[in-house]
Amino acid sequence: MRKLTMDARADRRLSNGMLWLIGAAVLSVLIVSAGLMIDRQTALTERGRIEHGILDRLLRVQSDIETHLDQDINIALSLADDIADDGLLSPLEFNRTVNRLITDNPQLDSIRLAPLDDPARMAFTPKVTRDSRTISVDIPVPPVSWQSSTAWISLVVDIDAGRFFDHHGLLAEVDVPDHEGHDHTKVAIVMPSADGTDEVFGDETIFDDNPISTASVGGRLGYNLYGVPADGWDAAMNRLLPSRLLVLAGVIAMTSSVLLALFLLRERNLNIKRLRAREQRLVELSQRFQLALETSNIGIWEIDASTHALIWDSRSAGLHGLPNSLTDEEDRLADWFACLHADDIGRAEQFYFDSVVAATVDQWDISYRVPLSDDSFRYLRSVGARTSDGSITGIVCDVTTDTLVTQSLSRAKENSDIKNAELELALEELSSREHQLAEASQRLDLALGSYNCGTWEGDPVTKSAIWDERMHQLYGIPFSDKPVAEHVWLSRLHPDDRGEIQLATKRAVTLDHIINTTQRVVLQNGEIRYIRSVGQPHIGRDGKKKLIGIAFDVTADALLAEQLRNAKAEADMRNIELELAKNRIEFNALHDPLTSLANRRKLDLELDTLARNGNRQSSKFAILHLDLDRFKEINDTLGHAAGDAMLVHASRILMKHVPRGDLVARIGGDEFVVLARRQTSVDELATLANKIIDEMRQPLDFEGFDCRCGVSIGVAQSQGAAPDPRKVLINADIALYQAKEKGRNCYEFFTPDLQANIVAKKRMADDMLAGLDRDEFIVWYQPQFEASSMQLCGAEALIRWRHPDRGILASGNFLKVAEDLNVMARIDELVLQTALKDQMRWTALGMQVPRISVNVSSKRLHDDNLIDQLKGLSITPGSICFELVESIFLDDSDTFASENIERIKALGIDIEIDDFGTGHTSIVSLLKLKPKRLKIDRQLVMPVTVQPQERSLVRNIVEIARSLGIETVAEGVETHEHAGILRQLGCDYLQGYAFAKPLSFEDFTRFVDRLPQRKAS
């Protein structure tokens, strides 16, 4: 038997070994296949990279063709302008000019005058045609002086296509861009003809090697470009051998590693199998332990020895009526103290101090009460002990049932003792009661007679009753000593009461209940009398069940009760109306009438409540301050009804996303506040803010118009043991201000740095107002020069702050604060007056500063008194120039600013556009404004020495300005290389550190005085 077992084990091991070998073989095949795929993909990638480089070369050739063709067209246009401008041009001069152009430009074949083929063609508009290998540029020009006819003629410039491509080196072999082998590219150009023949320029052999091609789109000529590697595709692809050897080495290394890894994996699996068996045993034991805890509803807790933090599991939190911990290591000590009964807190704190802080007690055993929502208590017992590492671990269980049973037994024993004492007293009184019974019977009869109470005895079997004389009187029936039949009794009752009285009688007989009814009796004269009958079943000595009771007249009481019920119903109705009115008044007083959200007063009350609660226990909450973006534009364009609709839309979004229990309030026109009365994380608040911002981005349809309104949100969380809610609201407002500063339609959390920035801005604002009063603001000047002659042409006036503590401050350090303080108009006026005064001082010194440029803010431009103030100043036309930023005149509806600009021009003051190229100015805006100069922004000027794209952009700006009759000023000229390039691009004026930094009046005066010497040097 033992041998058979060993053979079976050996077979299993052999089988497992075969499986591992098969797996290794399959994996090796997969690795080899992956290597082949990598090699194929590498080849495809290399081919794609070479094709991309060739295509890039073709696109550059195409761009060069268009550029050089435009240059030749410009040569023809320049000659056409000379013909049009010189009415006395002689044939000799014309031929001399033509010969010079052909000599300087070898690609030109001939230049001639010919009759105009189409008299309707637009003057000086070039038309490019091609015939065979000749490109012709045809331009309509006026007749020349030696021509007798007055008809327009054509200036025809013939360009030899072959010499054109060779002269500009467009077909030369160049390196393929971004290719490590530095392959050359062969290029050929094919121009199709109308007769079906194609003209080929370049190496025609490339068409046999699968070339890359591209066609010209939108150009003056139609042609196709073809390109291939100079050595052919095979030579270009032969560089993959090293990479293939590298892939092969990687495959061999991976295969060896896989075989070794498979062997190690087999050993690892054996170890894992053993560990899993142990883990399964531990899991089973853990499940049994957890099942025992779940069944008995016992929670586990632990107090850390170092941090003194109390950590709960979910059952402990549930026993205390609190939510589960957010994290496994969350400290719940504050939650534990907060949920205890007020009378148990002191004892719990003392026990916690002795066991945890002082560590004088090693055993933890305490019972306490937890108040529930229905005003009852849950009794819990917490038991634990100190572990070897100093921590205290224990359990907590619900002992409410045991405690209540113990209390019930104690009360039952006390009640039993009281009952025994009462029983003894009752026995003592029993004898005296028997003596008093006879007297009581006589008194009862006397009382019944005096109250006119009748007695009756009913027999349920015979359906009859025996009445005394007073019973007959109550029902208005003549007295008889015979039993009264049931039908006689029922005939006297009101029809509506008969069924209910019969049912009550049957229940009393069947269920042995006491009968207590009030019925209406209709007398013979039609009068209604209310009779109350009280009785109960009684079994006589003969064993028969009877009903015995009394009846008495309660008509007065019934009528009074009816009146009281009516009065009570009316009073209840009025109380309900008063309560509704009170609730309505309170709701209106604490809620916004438009959105039905809480108002500022409601928010203040909630903040006061949080402040009071925070003094007793740790209070965690957060506040979100929201402000709608572009809300004023909706009110101004679509009216207040659209604004109200947007406010209601915003309130619905907030009520949709804000969790229940949190307060949403509208505290201003377009301001909202969300008060989260709970502990929230930063991620939760960020998620809530993102949801609100995303939904507010969606347009609201109002009477066919799409209303779009963003929202900016400031978020602040409470900090500390007893935070001040109003301080948290201020922090949220600070965060909202920062969100608006960052560009609106976003959210920002409050940080101490934000508060520090606000304090710094406030201090700077106070210093600025004081500095304006103390004349601390001065004007510096940066000179401007003509680009062609480098003569001083003017200066830009720049505001500076001579701060008593921080020294001279540039405008970038305080202009934003000045805009917030609304003192920009005052600063602009100060700069203008100072510039005029300094200009007069320079004139008195014999120095000429042709013009001074002064920055003008939007506030200043919208000033109603601006024109009157300028008229009162002595301004020489052309000596002062106002620099305006582009955003001032972007609004087409701002007619007031446009009118002021025209009035300023009429006063002889030039208009410049500052920082041109960084805003959104259109050509139409330039035509409307008609400025004197454009100042190209330094961001475009700085990179012209190294960036061809920016250089081309500056050239285009200069050409556009020149075509509109506008001068250009380049600012930010840092080096003389900048100056040379900008002068070549056609800029009229230059300004920058290459010539001088901003200077004070004294330094600027010395600079201008030494300017001739500096030029000479």
Side-chain angles (χ1 to χ4, degrees), residues 79 94 98 101-102 108-113 155-158:
L79 181 57
F94 176 77
V98 168
L101 292 176
I102 294 177
L108 300 183
D109 194 10
S110 65
I111 300 176
R112 53 192 171 84
L113 297 175
L155 173 65
V156 180
V157 178
D158 294 327

Side-chain angles (χ1 to χ4, degrees), residues 632-817:
K632 184 177 182 301
E633 296 179 12
I634 294 177
N635 266 342
D636 294 341
T637 55
L638 300 180
H640 291 283
D644 292 344
M646 181 55 70
L647 291 174
V648 173
H649 176 64
S651 67
R652 290 173 180 171
I653 291 175
L654 293 177
M655 294 302 295
K656 173 183 176 182
H657 293 289
V658 174
R660 287 184 176 273
D662 294 345
L663 177 69
V664 181
R666 179 191 174 201
I667 63 171
D670 58 346
E671 293 186 58
F672 299 85
V673 168
V674 176
L675 173 61
R677 308 185 188 92
R678 55 196 169 84
Q679 185 171 1
T680 54
S681 65
V682 173
D683 293 339
E684 291 177 345
L685 296 174
T687 301
L688 174 60
N690 281 324
K691 289 181 179 178
I692 296 172
I693 292 173
D694 291 341
E695 191 154 352
M696 281 298 298
R697 287 198 185 103
Q698 305 303 320
L700 170 67
D701 180 64
F702 177 76
E703 298 180 355
F705 295 95
D706 283 344
C707 298
R708 296 181 180 273
C709 191
V711 61
S712 300
I713 304 176
V715 186
Q717 293 179 287
S718 61
Q719 303 290 336
D724 183 2
R726 297 188 183 277
K727 179 64 176 176
V728 178
L729 179 60
I730 294 174
N731 293 342
D733 184 61
I734 293 173
L736 172 62
Y737 177 80
Q738 181 66 19
K740 287 184 172 294
E741 286 286 319
K742 289 177 64 177
R744 304 176 182 270
N745 207 26
C746 62
Y747 66 89
E748 187 72 21
F749 278 86
F750 171 79
T751 61
D753 292 339
L754 288 182
Q755 189 174 20
N757 292 336
I758 294 298
V759 172
K761 288 183 179 179
K762 175 65 169 57
R763 185 179 296 111
M764 175 170 282
D766 295 339
D767 292 346
M768 179 174 292
L769 293 176
L772 288 172
D773 295 336
R774 294 194 295 261
D775 296 331
E776 293 178 356
F777 287 86
I778 58 176
V779 179
W780 284 23
Y781 302 92
Q782 187 172 22
Q784 299 174 343
F785 296 88
E786 293 184 4
S788 58
S789 63
M790 291 308 296
Q791 295 291 329
L792 179 69
C793 63
E796 180 182 2
L798 302 172
I799 189 67
R800 292 292 184 266
W801 184 3
R802 189 163 48 208
H803 197 280
D805 298 326
R806 301 170 60 185
I808 301 296
L809 299 181
S811 58
N813 295 320
F814 58 84
L815 280 188
K816 186 66 176 67
V817 178

Side-chain angles (χ1 to χ4, degrees), residues 13-261:
R13 291 174 181 172
L14 180 60
S15 176
N16 291 335
M18 292 297 295
L19 291 176
W20 286 109
L21 289 175
I22 293 173
V26 171
L27 189 57
S28 299
V29 170
L30 292 177
I31 292 173
V32 172
S33 301
L36 295 176
M37 292 177 65
I38 291 173
D39 178 69
R40 175 176 176 80
Q41 186 63 33
T42 303
L44 293 176
T45 302
E46 180 66 17
R47 172 70 179 240
R49 187 165 58 144
I50 297 174
E51 290 178 352
H52 179 75
I54 295 173
L55 182 60
D56 183 62
R57 162 61 178 161
L58 296 180
L59 292 177
R60 283 190 289 170
V61 170
Q62 180 180 343
S63 176
D64 292 342
I65 291 174
E66 297 297 333
T67 300
H68 293 301
L69 182 59
D70 287 343
Q71 291 176 355
D72 292 344
I73 293 174
N74 288 335
I75 292 173
L77 287 173
S78 177
L79 181 57
D81 290 340
D82 293 340
I83 295 174
D85 293 339
D86 192 355
L88 301 179
L89 181 67
S90 64
L92 182 60
E93 293 177 351
F94 176 77
N95 292 331
R96 186 184 302 114
T97 302
V98 168
N99 293 331
R100 179 178 55 81
L101 292 176
I102 294 177
T103 302
D104 294 341
N105 301 277
Q107 73 274 15
L108 300 183
D109 194 10
S110 65
I111 300 176
R112 53 192 171 84
L113 297 175
L116 184 63
D117 57 352
D118 184 6
R121 283 180 56 196
M122 184 176 294
F124 302 104
T125 302
K127 181 175 71 173
V128 180
T129 59
R130 186 183 62 82
D131 182 15
S132 184
R133 301 177 71 87
T134 301
I135 301 170
S136 298
V137 180
D138 185 357
I139 302 174
V141 296
V144 294
S145 59
W146 64 86
Q147 180 181 352
S148 59
S149 174
T150 60
W152 282 55
I153 59 177
S154 293
L155 173 65
V156 180
V157 178
D158 294 327
I159 304 172
D160 185 277
R163 290 203 304 270
F164 175 81
F165 295 132
D166 293 338
H167 175 67
H168 296 296
L170 300 177
L171 301 179
E173 295 183 3
V174 296
D175 291 348
V176 176
D178 301 327
H179 192 260
E180 61 185 1
H182 301 292
D183 287 337
H184 292 285
T185 303
K186 292 194 296 186
V187 179
I189 300 175
V190 177
M191 292 187 175
S193 301
D195 56 359
T197 61
D198 296 336
E199 294 294 337
V200 180
F201 301 90
D203 190 353
E204 297 185 8
T205 60
I206 69 173
F207 297 103
D208 300 331
D209 202 7
N210 192 18
I212 303 297
S213 66
T214 182
S216 98
V217 179
R220 299 181 183 272
L221 292 175
Y223 55 88
N224 296 324
L225 293 172
Y226 296 86
V228 296
D231 298 334
W233 292 103
D234 295 336
M237 297 296 293
N238 285 339
R239 298 182 179 88
L240 293 177
L241 181 61
S243 62
R244 289 175 175 174
L245 294 176
L246 184 62
V247 171
L248 178 61
V251 168
I252 295 174
M254 291 178 63
T255 304
S256 303
S257 301
V258 166
L259 295 176
L260 178 60

